[in-house]
């Protein structure tokens, strides 16, 4: 049995942050520009960036290795919330309340200027045991009617795409979601998460709260 404890030295209590969810695909020729735009802001301490790779481009000859049907379902939920006729890539969703074409730098920049007060979330010591992460969290605010999203992301990935609209290109992505789950938010909780297969040691745990209208009410991120 291997047990590794990660003591969190950086601040884990939420400041005002912006949560950016990019819905993208390696099968989409217009997505690399949006991927690069997300990468430009992903290291900002006041930004929590997530790259969700959807599944509906996989039929064009290349199956995106980071795609999940559940990410497509998540994007459809946003499509319903925003009253969109159809979902599309690349799409950015900011704090669950704004959406726009994921390569639109001006809209992203304007979205980063206004951030509402948020509910602080604190992550305790993270322990890694036999392929699983275990940690406590504390939410310093009212949680009734809120859900807690848990994401494990891989900071940097890169791979060659032999087929599809991006055939012959080597694509790079930051903050790729490799694990995602949603649970009812509690003031205090204990999470045990099976670690997916990562290709690097640069990884993040991300927690963020959403209300029934999908508005983000608080978020935090830590490395593990």
């Amino acid at each position: 049995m291997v047990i590794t404890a990660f003591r969190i030295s950086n601040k884990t209590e939420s400041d005002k942050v912006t949560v950016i969810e990019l819905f993208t695909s390696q099968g989409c020729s217009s997505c690399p520009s949006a991927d690069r735009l997300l990468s430009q802001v992903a290291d900002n301490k006041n930004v929590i960036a997530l790259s969700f790779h959807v599944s509906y481009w996989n039929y064009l000859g290349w199956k995106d290795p980071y795609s999940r049907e559940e990410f497509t379902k998540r994007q459809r939920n946003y499509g319903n919330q925003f009253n969109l006729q159809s979902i599309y890539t690349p799409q950015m969703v900011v704090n669950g309340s704004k959406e726009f074409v994921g390569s639109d730098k001006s809209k992203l920049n304007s979205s980063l200027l206004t951030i509402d007060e948020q509910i602080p979330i604190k992550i305790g010591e993270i322990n890694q045991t036999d392929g699983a992460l275990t940690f406590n969290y504390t939410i310093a605010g009212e949680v009734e009617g809120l859900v807690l999203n848990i994401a494990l992301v891989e900071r940097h990935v890169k791979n060659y795409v032999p087929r599809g609209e991006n055939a012959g290109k080597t694509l790079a992505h930051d903050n790729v979601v490799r694990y995602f789950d949603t649970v009812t938010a509690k003031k205090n909780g204990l999470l045990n998460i099976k670690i997916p297969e990562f290709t690097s040691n640069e990884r993040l745990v991300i927690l963020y709260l959403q209300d029934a209208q999908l508005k983000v009410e608080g978020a935090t991120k830590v490395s593990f």
Side-chain angles (χ1 to χ4, degrees), residues 49-139:
L50 301 103
S51 178
F52 287 95
H53 288 235
V54 297
S55 59
Y56 50 86
W57 285 92
N58 290 347
Y59 73 95
L60 289 179
W62 173 247
K63 183 177 180 180
D64 187 328
Y66 311 110
S67 65
R68 299 276 290 276
E69 182 61 32
E70 66 184 277
F71 301 159
T72 300
K73 182 178 179 180
R74 180 166 181 78
Q75 189 185 22
R76 289 197 183 106
N77 289 339
Y78 276 125
N80 292 334
Q81 184 65 28
F82 293 126
N83 296 313
L84 302 179
Q85 291 186 343
S86 62
I87 56 176
Y88 65 93
T89 55
Q91 180 190 37
M92 277 188 180
V93 176
V94 176
N95 282 340
S97 57
K98 299 177 182 178
E99 72 86 23
F100 49 87
V101 174
S103 55
D104 192 326
K105 187 173 183 177
S106 63
K107 285 189 176 180
L108 176 59
N109 287 339
S110 64
S111 297
L112 296 176
L113 296 177
T114 305
I115 309 172
D116 296 331
E117 287 288 344
Q118 296 179 334
I119 299 171
I121 307 170
K122 187 173 183 179
I123 296 175
E125 183 178 280
I126 299 176
N127 293 288
Q128 182 174 328
T129 307
D130 292 343
L133 293 182
T134 303
F135 59 90
N136 294 299
Y137 70 86
T138 303
I139 299 173

Side-chain angles (χ1 to χ4, degrees), residues 22-46:
L22 171 65
F23 294 92
T24 185
S25 172
Q26 291 192 343
C28 160
S29 61
S30 58
C31 285
S33 58
D35 298 326
R36 290 191 293 269
L37 181 57
L38 187 76
S39 295
Q40 290 173 19
V41 298
D43 288 330
N44 187 319
K45 71 181 183 67
N46 296 115

Side-chain angles (χ1 to χ4, degrees), residues 137-148:
Y137 70 86
T138 303
I139 299 173
E142 181 55 57
V143 298
E144 184 176 355
L146 302 181
V147 297
L148 180 69

